Amino acid sequence: MFKFVDELLDRFSMYRLLLYYLIGLVLVAVGLSAAGVLHMSAIDIAGSAIYLTVICWIINQIFARFLKLPVNSDSTYITALILALIITPNFSQDGFLFLSAAASLAIASKYLITYKKRHIFNPAGIAIVLTALGPQQSASWWIGTSVMMPFVLAGGLLLVRRIRRGAMVSSFLGTALLATVISAAVRHVGIASTLHQTIFSSSLLFLAFVMFTEPLTSPSTRKHQVWYGVLTGLLFPPQIHLGSFYSTPERALSVGNIFAFIVNPKVKLMPALTRKEKITQDSMDFVFAPDQKFAYEPGQYMDFTLPHRQIDSRGQRRYFTLASSPTEDNIRIGVKFYQKNGSSFKKAMLAMDKQTPVIAANLGGDFTLPRDASRKLVFIAGGIGITPFRSMLKYLLDKDEKRDATLLYGAATTKDIAYADIFSEAHKRLGTKVRYVLSSTEKLPDARFRAGRITPELLKGEVADLHNSLFYISGPHAMVVDVEHSLRQLGVSRTHIKTDFFSGYS
């Protein structure tokens, strides 16, 4: 069941899935209003969504052209629909002004409230904070009603599974509900009724699934994500206040965004493509020259935006692990291509030249080397999931840092093996044990090769110290799940396993 769901979700980028989710919520709201279940005008809901989308698009075009930056259309539409779902439709003169101000401030915040080309606040959230402080018009969060709650919850759970930030969302929801219970107890009001109201008829779930999870304004490492959830959750109850300044969902989120800004790497690049290199029969390396120096750890990822025409369901943004090492002057990413049914993003990548505008941002990830250099390491890769290990081993080579490491690399054939030169050098200079595991029936070239798949038996035979090693698994979702299951069967502690999924290659 979960495998089917994951395969279905992986057909969409996170941003495109979020866009479809928001469109679905607007359509559901329109339908429920037309049926008389939701006490709002269906025409007003649809009209508000359309109006906000148009205003956001126009403002975004103006800023993008004036600042000569690539246009991210998905992000613009997402912001507009979020505003449509939290601001009560109102087409009076004041209503039009509020909608226009909120849309304009939301888009402007992406370009003006920034640091090193990276926006700090969730656009819709900070727009409502500003309109409440200025014109004193605020969001009603009308999406937080009992009739909309099942739809918010169902789509939100799918979205969180797609982006794999369950711990972050859970820490927020758990802390917010606990803070709500404590607040109710202090005020001597009914705890059960307060919890029911918070879960079924408040902004909690929509905030948690949609705005709280925005990658660019939330922390990029697991530890900080949990603290981000705790901080935002503590500020969520409306009874929280400083003097006469009471908390609201958007204010709580904005404080959380400030925390994320403080702990996140401050990186947003516009790298220039320098060359493309074929690394296997169906994979290529794209090598970029960054427009500024930046620091990262081997194994981390970045979010790449590639504007192009006729964008499909996979969108124009994609996360890639950096195959390059921090010791290198360039940025390198490895990409697998398919001959049939390739995404519009991948087709645009193939057509790239040195003038193609690209944005790389949201540096993060915990799939990194341990600080303790004495830890025994086992790198297990499948397909293009080899990229973080190229980064790690290249880094260790350039630093001349020997570590007790084993690499198990699963591939279909010898023609599907990438970065063999790096791994050979790591074996010679650092003593890294390298084993290639081929699923084809071709003759094995030498003693470095094994036939079949990465099974429990193979793991027992190739890893000398199973219970004291730190395992890194990177590759397609099914492969990562299978290998992790094999390790657990062999008695390896869950705390000794780190995973990195490479989904949605099409």
Side-chain angles (χ1 to χ4, degrees):
M1 173 63 180
F2 287 120
K3 181 179 179 181
F4 170 77
V5 171
D6 289 331
E7 290 177 350
L8 178 63
L9 294 176
D10 287 343
R11 296 177 185 177
F12 306 92
S13 70
M14 174 266 183
Y15 295 99
R16 187 52 65 95
L17 182 63
L18 175 57
L19 178 60
Y20 291 160
Y21 171 42
L22 294 173
I23 292 173
L25 290 178
V26 171
L27 293 177
V28 167
V30 169
L32 292 176
S33 296
V37 178
L38 190 63
H39 300 296
M40 297 176 67
S41 165
I43 294 176
D44 285 351
I45 294 173
S48 175
I50 294 170
Y51 180 74
L52 284 164
T53 300
V54 171
I55 296 299
C56 285
W57 184 87
I58 291 173
I59 300 299
N60 193 63
Q61 289 288 328
I62 292 172
F63 273 103
R65 292 188 181 185
F66 180 75
L67 298 175
K68 297 181 180 179
L69 294 173
V71 175
N72 188 339
S73 55
D74 280 1
S75 176
T76 303
Y77 301 145
I78 287 169
T79 298
L81 293 174
I82 290 173
L83 291 172
L85 290 164
I86 66 176
I87 298 175
T88 300
N90 181 356
F91 291 107
S92 65
Q93 182 177 354
D94 287 344
F96 269 116
L97 289 175
F98 181 25
L99 292 176
S100 301
S104 301
L105 288 169
I107 300 302
S109 72
K110 299 182 184 184
Y111 295 96
L112 301 181
I113 309 178
T114 63
Y115 181 81
K116 291 187 176 181
K117 304 176 184 177
R118 178 191 176 102
H119 65 268
I120 299 169
F121 296 100
N122 176 276
I126 194 62
I128 300 303
V129 169
L130 295 174
T131 57
L133 294 176
Q136 297 187 341
Q137 291 180 295
S138 192
S140 64
W141 295 85
W142 65 265
I143 184 67
T145 60
S146 57
V147 294
M148 291 297 297
M149 182 267 193
F151 304 99
V152 173
L153 179 63
L157 290 175
L158 291 176
L159 181 65
V160 171
R161 184 167 183 84
R162 173 65 180 85
I163 62 177
R164 298 183 176 91
R165 292 201 173 188
M168 185 176 84
V169 173
S170 297
S171 67
F172 167 70
L173 291 174
T175 304
L177 292 175
L178 178 61
T180 299
V181 168
I182 294 173
S183 174
V186 169
R187 293 180 295 114
H188 303 289
V189 300
I191 293 177
S193 60
T194 301
L195 278 177
H196 185 277
Q197 175 74 18
T198 301
I199 295 171
F200 291 92
S201 301
S202 82
S203 61
L204 179 68
L205 294 180
F206 186 78
L207 180 71
F209 295 136
V210 176
M211 300 168 72
F212 175 75
T213 54
E214 186 198 7
L216 290 178
T217 57
S218 59
S220 56
T221 60
R222 185 182 178 89
K223 178 180 72 174
H224 290 143
Q225 287 170 1
V226 172
W227 283 112
Y228 168 65
V230 170
L231 174 61
T232 311
L234 283 173
L235 298 175
F236 176 79
Q239 294 77 26
I240 302 296
H241 65 96
L242 182 62
S244 61
F245 193 79
Y246 280 79
S247 182
T248 62
E250 60 272 12
R251 288 172 181 172
L253 178 63
S254 295
V255 173
N257 292 160
I258 293 172
F259 168 78
F261 169 74
I262 292 171
V263 300
N264 270 346
K266 314 300 189 293
V267 178
K268 186 173 183 180
L269 311 174
M270 295 191 68
L273 180 69
T274 58
R275 63 185 185 276
K276 306 174 191 176
E277 299 175 357
K278 190 169 184 178
I279 54 174
T280 71
Q281 58 183 347
D282 56 9
S283 300
M284 295 182 66
D285 261 9
F286 291 75
V287 184
F288 299 88
D291 59 337
Q292 58 181 286
K293 291 184 178 181
F294 74 109
Y296 62 97
E297 294 187 57
Q300 289 193 303
Y301 60 76
M302 292 191 80
D303 173 11
F304 285 76
T305 299
L306 176 59
H308 56 279
R309 298 179 182 275
Q310 298 179 330
I311 301 171
D312 63 13
S313 63
R314 294 288 294 146
Q316 61 180 0
R317 302 173 74 163
R318 200 74 55 91
Y319 284 95
F320 291 104
T321 292
L322 301 179
S324 51
S325 162
T327 55
E328 298 178 286
D329 293 330
N330 54 44
I331 301 173
R332 179 186 296 265
I333 57 174
V335 185
K336 184 172 182 178
F337 293 89
Y338 291 96
Q339 293 183 351
K340 296 181 179 180
N341 301 321
S343 67
S344 64
F345 188 99
K346 293 290 184 70
K347 292 175 182 177
M349 290 197 79
L350 287 173
M352 286 177 63
D353 58 32
K354 295 181 179 181
Q355 282 71 48
T356 303
V358 179
I359 296 176
N362 202 27
L363 172 68
D366 299 297
F367 200 75
T368 55
L369 292 168
R371 302 299 181 192
D372 183 0
S374 66
R375 287 297 302 268
K376 297 178 180 179
L377 307 175
V378 181
F379 302 143
I380 304 174
I384 202 63
I386 193 63
T387 52
F389 304 128
R390 191 269 181 197
S391 175
M392 293 177 185
L393 289 172
K394 176 61 174 170
Y395 176 82
L396 295 177
L397 282 166
D398 290 345
K399 292 291 187 178
D400 197 24
E401 183 179 328
K402 290 187 178 182
R403 296 211 186 189
D404 187 341
T406 297
L407 171 65
L408 303 178
Y409 182 0
T413 69
T414 52
K415 294 181 180 179
D416 297 298
I417 294 174
Y419 313 124
D421 56 335
I422 298 292
F423 305 142
S424 294
E425 188 177 358
H427 173 68
K428 292 176 184 177
R429 288 178 45 197
L430 306 178
T432 304
K433 180 179 179 181
V434 180
R435 293 290 182 267
Y436 301 111
V437 185
L438 303 183
S439 59
S440 68
T441 56
E442 69 176 287
K443 183 180 178 180
L444 302 181
D446 55 54
R448 297 172 300 164
F449 291 80
R450 300 288 183 268
R453 296 169 54 251
I454 300 176
T455 61
E457 292 72 27
L458 185 140
L459 289 166
K460 283 197 298 183
E462 297 296 342
V463 182
D465 193 352
L466 279 168
H467 301 292
N468 293 309
S469 296
L470 182 59
F471 291 84
Y472 291 73
I473 315 170
S474 175
H477 181 259
M479 171 264 178
V480 171
V481 171
D482 287 345
V483 174
E484 184 176 12
H485 180 68
S486 295
L487 290 172
R488 299 290 292 137
Q489 280 186 317
L490 295 171
V492 176
S493 170
R494 194 179 302 274
T495 60
H496 289 184
I497 302 173
K498 297 172 74 84
T499 59
D500 195 26
F501 296 102
F502 278 72
S503 58
Y505 287 120
S506 60

